[in-house]
Amino acid sequence: SILTELGISHESEYFPLPDECPAKGLLAIDAALPEERITIEFQGPHHFLRHVRTGKTIHDMENGPTQAKRRFLEQNGWKVIHISFIDWNKAKTRNERKNLLERQLVSS
């Protein structure tokens, strides 16, 4: 993965809830740096609202489940970094995507 190439130790599909929690499998983080309590969420189109008439994604408005997940993680001490599919797709090369991730991590 690009995070590994950047020398960043992380866990993919990380479950931040304790093992004994019955809801543990309901909340997964795309990529987590558990020691630093940083999560990286890659947000595809399904994370955003859609216009009722056109069906087009409104890319600057998160849907309810995405907002709830972000709030829950932040309230539990996690720094949440979101990478939108629009930004990811604009970064055409692997190097541009590395730079995008580095910028997001540095600014966190």
Side-chain angles (χ1 to χ4, degrees), residues 38-57:
I38 296 173
T39 173
I40 301 170
E41 292 292 311
F42 294 93
Q43 295 184 303
H46 61 281
H47 286 274
F48 299 94
L49 296 177
R50 292 190 173 273
H51 191 279
V52 174
R53 290 190 192 118
T54 66
K56 290 185 179 180
T57 301

Side-chain angles (χ1 to χ4, degrees), residues 19-88:
D19 287 336
E20 62 276 3
C21 180
K24 179 177 173 67
L26 297 177
L27 181 67
I29 294 172
D30 293 335
L33 288 67
E35 296 294 319
E36 296 88 351
R37 294 189 69 81
I38 296 173
T39 173
I40 301 170
E41 292 292 311
F42 294 93
Q43 295 184 303
H46 61 281
H47 286 274
F48 299 94
L49 296 177
R50 292 190 173 273
H51 191 279
V52 174
R53 290 190 192 118
T54 66
K56 290 185 179 180
T57 301
I58 305 171
H59 60 83
D60 59 346
M61 295 184 71
E62 292 177 334
N63 64 23
T66 299
Q67 288 179 15
K69 180 179 181 179
R70 179 178 39 78
R71 279 194 304 266
F72 175 82
L73 290 168
E74 288 173 348
Q75 289 172 354
N76 284 279
W78 288 84
K79 167 69 178 163
V80 181
I81 297 171
H82 290 280
I83 307 285
S84 162
F85 73 101
I86 293 170
D87 295 331
W88 191 252

